[in-house]
Amino acid sequence: AALLRPVWTIGRRFVIDQQSSLSIEGSSVFPLTPHTFNNTDQLTALERYLHPKTLRLTHMRKVQADGTPLIYNQFIGSVAALALDKNSKPTHLVSNCAHSIFASNALGPNNSYMIDVQALDSAGKVYRKLWVWDAVKLAIGPVIREMPVIPCPVIMSTMWMGFVNRGPNFANYTWFGPYDPGIGWGNHEEGNVPVYDSARNHVGRMGSAISLGQSV
């Protein structure tokens, strides 16, 4: 429970913040729109919002009374995603899910931060790139590499999969895991909350994930 509490707390923060018209330094964070992910100012604002949720201290696993040793999760990530139909409009239907867009902020090896972004270019084509995230300047750094586009059902699966537990006591908070995504840190646990449209349909998700190691 101690390990998972931050993931739950972050999810509840996502719920609260989505109900506001949050901006950071004049750039809109919420509501999320397709424009959020391909506009540099709005993407930077979103990443600045996500970054505190990936700080190591937020996910400290163990510490003694004398302050040592400080043990953290090896992987910490936060993500915001939208499901889009063929007209690049948000959709809640798996059958209409033509592509997805998302932005993540992740802490990986050697205390280095990265952002993984999938978005639409000016011609409406989906692209995905991995960037350096400057955790001091809170700014997008150089492109590390281009990445394969992830299909919409894959991005949304942790929210939409039939066996996912959406217990009523968790107010639509969705646990997913433990599962091993195969990136070298063993099992992960992920928690998501929905992104709603005006009709209260699930058209996206915001989530937080942590590594649990090779076993639970």
Side-chain angles (χ1 to χ4, degrees):
L3 291 178
L4 301 181
R5 188 178 296 111
V7 180
W8 157 255
T9 304
I10 289 169
R12 297 309 303 159
R13 186 74 252 175
F14 288 154
V15 170
I16 294 168
D17 290 343
Q18 284 187 76
Q19 298 175 40
S20 67
S21 297
L22 179 66
S23 295
I24 296 178
E25 295 188 0
S27 294
S28 173
V29 176
F30 299 117
L32 294 174
T33 71
H35 189 63
T36 303
F37 302 87
N38 65 5
N39 176 274
T40 301
D41 290 340
Q42 286 188 249
L43 177 60
T44 299
L46 176 59
E47 293 293 349
R48 287 179 175 178
Y49 171 79
L50 292 175
H51 176 69
K53 286 77 173 171
T54 63
L55 292 176
R56 290 200 306 166
L57 287 174
T58 306
H59 298 270
M60 186 168 58
R61 297 180 64 174
K62 183 179 180 181
V63 62
Q64 301 296 332
D66 63 357
T68 60
L70 295 174
I71 300 176
Y72 308 95
N73 289 92
Q74 294 175 293
F75 173 83
I76 306 166
S78 296
V79 66
L82 288 177
L84 304 179
D85 64 19
K86 63 180 181 180
N87 298 313
S88 299
K89 303 296 183 183
T91 182
H92 66 285
L93 299 173
V94 177
S95 58
N96 289 348
C97 189
H99 43 251
S100 63
I101 53 179
F102 64 86
S104 69
N105 192 293
L107 172 65
N110 303 316
N111 199 27
S112 60
Y113 288 89
M114 304 164 287
I115 64 171
D116 187 357
V117 180
Q118 185 162 296
L120 298 171
D121 64 18
S122 58
K125 183 179 179 180
V126 181
Y127 67 90
R128 181 183 171 213
K129 294 181 181 179
L130 187 68
W131 274 280
V132 170
W133 174 251
D134 189 324
V136 176
K137 297 180 180 178
L138 298 180
I140 299 173
V143 173
I144 299 172
R145 60 181 176 272
E146 295 190 4
M147 303 283 284
V149 170
I150 302 177
C152 181
V154 175
I155 291 298
M156 292 302 299
S157 63
T158 54
M159 177 64 67
W160 285 352
M161 288 178 71
F163 65 85
V164 171
N165 177 22
R166 293 195 185 92
N169 292 336
F170 290 95
N172 280 337
Y173 187 87
T174 302
W175 292 104
F176 183 81
Y179 75 105
D180 188 344
I183 59 177
W185 289 294
N187 286 313
H188 285 203
E189 185 79 15
E190 183 173 330
N192 291 280
V193 296
V195 174
Y196 292 105
D197 62 13
S198 58
R200 299 291 292 172
N201 295 309
H202 295 185
V203 297
R205 67 180 179 93
M206 295 192 70
S208 180
I210 57 171
S211 58
L212 301 175
Q214 301 302 319
S215 62
V216 178

